[in-house]
Amino acid sequence: METARTANRLRLLSYNLDGLDPEDLMTRAEGACNVLLHENPEVIFLQEVVTDSLPIIRARCMPDYDIFLGLEGKRRGPRSYFTATLVRKDCSLVERANILPFPTSNMSRTLLEVQCQIKSVPVTLLNSHLESIKQCSGERRNQLSQAFARMRSADKTRVVLFGGDLNLRDSELTDFSAVPANVVDIWEYTGKKPQTEFTWNLRSNDNRQFDSPIQPQFRFDRIYMRNSDPPLLNPVNFELKGIWRLESCERFPSDHWGILCHFDILSPGSVNCCT
């Protein structure tokens, strides 16, 4: 139910579901859906949805959300994994959706674009799972630059929200893959809270562990925004979700934390906003 506080707010939750880990997959998928439905955001970006988890997501979420998949047709098979963007039906009007391939990806990665109106705000949603592993930095930076170019070229009357599991290291945000001047990183813009920095944090999430005395932690999951002209959204909060163990299996829903971004909806001409 909408309250006075949430009526003028848009929320986006992005979550890598770790569908490539077969252990407790169905239980974890159910747990992730519980997180999504409890938060009830207007927009959901999912990564690593797999053939086995997709029916659970459809069954739990489709009554309330339109679902668009980032990998379809001949490329989809028993071992494929893909992105999904969900838009809540009661407050949105979807205009179109399309899949923009990254031509040189070795992992079938794509940019899933959905154009819609959410609470009368024109929004372009760009959901992606950029090339994985440290050795693929060059390809990941190529994909990032293509996504930023898509943000820059979008109609100026639309807000553009891009993100997902971007597998980024801060050192990769340079030269041709640098963040454009009119694009903001939501975690940074909302105060860089240290307790919400690391979204793939094996020091606090033991779903996956390496044979090492010190487990890695990275800020792989990110959301970027290019505001409209005039500005229609202002980022106000950034939270981590999915941080509680599931009683059924004593594991977390994913080896990633979900990220929940809050945006205030502005009237044209507001001054307290990012541009």
Side-chain angles (χ1 to χ4, degrees):
M1 176 185 293
E2 288 283 334
T3 65
R5 177 173 171 272
T6 61
N8 292 316
R9 182 161 287 190
L10 187 154
R11 292 158 299 147
L12 187 160
L13 197 160
S14 181
Y15 208 173
N16 179 318
L17 302 186
D18 194 21
L20 299 182
D21 177 4
E23 187 176 351
D24 303 308
L25 175 61
M26 310 305 272
T27 299
R28 292 189 297 103
E30 286 280 2
C33 286
N34 288 340
V35 173
L36 303 178
L37 296 175
H38 174 75
E39 297 300 335
N40 194 34
E42 287 72 21
V43 179
I44 299 171
F45 286 176
L46 300 179
Q47 304 85 43
E48 282 195 34
V49 178
V50 295
T51 303
D52 286 341
S53 64
L54 181 58
I56 294 175
I57 296 167
R58 287 190 186 278
R60 296 292 307 279
C61 297
M62 276 192 77
D64 299 317
Y65 289 87
D66 289 315
I67 301 179
F68 304 91
L69 302 181
L71 181 59
E72 296 180 317
K74 296 180 180 178
R75 294 176 295 170
R76 196 168 123 199
R79 296 186 178 181
S80 64
Y81 57 98
F82 37 95
T83 57
T85 295
L86 287 68
V87 183
R88 217 175 73 205
K89 294 178 180 179
D90 66 347
C91 60
S92 68
L93 174 64
V94 175
E95 298 160 350
R96 69 187 187 96
N98 62 309
I99 301 169
L100 308 172
F102 292 126
T104 55
S105 173
N106 290 314
M107 302 177 182
S108 298
R109 302 297 168 87
T110 64
L111 189 63
L112 174 57
E113 180 181 76
V114 177
Q115 294 189 12
C116 55
Q117 304 268 341
I118 302 176
K119 297 182 177 179
S120 300
V121 176
V123 181
T124 295
L125 305 171
L126 300 172
N127 175 12
S128 195
H129 184 194
L130 299 187
E131 211 85 351
S132 305
I133 71 175
K134 182 178 181 180
Q135 293 87 336
C136 292
S137 177
E139 173 59 23
R140 183 163 50 251
R141 293 181 68 202
N142 285 334
Q143 295 170 4
L144 183 66
S145 68
Q146 292 172 61
F148 283 153
R150 191 73 176 179
M151 295 184 81
R152 291 194 303 268
S153 65
D155 189 317
K156 300 302 182 185
T157 64
R158 308 186 71 89
V159 178
V160 186
L161 296 171
F162 158 61
D165 177 8
L166 305 185
N167 282 304
L168 286 179
R169 285 73 169 166
D170 287 335
S171 61
E172 296 171 340
L173 296 169
T174 59
D175 302 324
F176 70 92
S177 57
V179 180
N182 63 341
V183 171
V184 297
D185 179 319
I186 303 305
W187 176 75
E188 292 183 352
Y189 186 86
T190 55
K192 298 184 178 181
K193 293 180 289 187
Q195 66 270 27
T196 62
E197 179 174 5
F198 301 113
T199 66
W200 193 69
N201 188 350
L202 303 195
R203 300 180 193 180
S204 55
N205 185 325
D206 58 5
N207 274 24
R208 181 178 306 184
Q209 295 285 281
F210 289 94
D211 185 15
S212 170
I214 300 178
Q215 298 298 317
Q217 53 183 11
F218 289 99
R219 190 163 72 93
F220 283 160
D221 305 83
R222 307 184 184 206
I223 298 296
Y224 292 96
M225 182 180 83
R226 192 219 69 184
N227 221 335
S228 55
D229 184 13
L232 294 175
L233 291 184
N234 188 49
V236 292
N237 198 16
F238 182 101
E239 302 177 85
L240 299 181
K241 295 298 175 180
I243 60 176
W244 306 110
R245 292 184 188 275
L246 301 171
E247 293 183 2
S248 53
C249 64
E250 289 300 316
R251 301 179 77 213
F252 298 101
S254 172
D255 63 338
H256 288 247
W257 303 135
I259 57 175
L260 179 62
C261 303
H262 300 247
F263 304 85
D264 278 345
I265 298 174
L266 305 173
S267 58
S270 298
V271 295
N272 294 322
C273 58
C274 61
T275 57

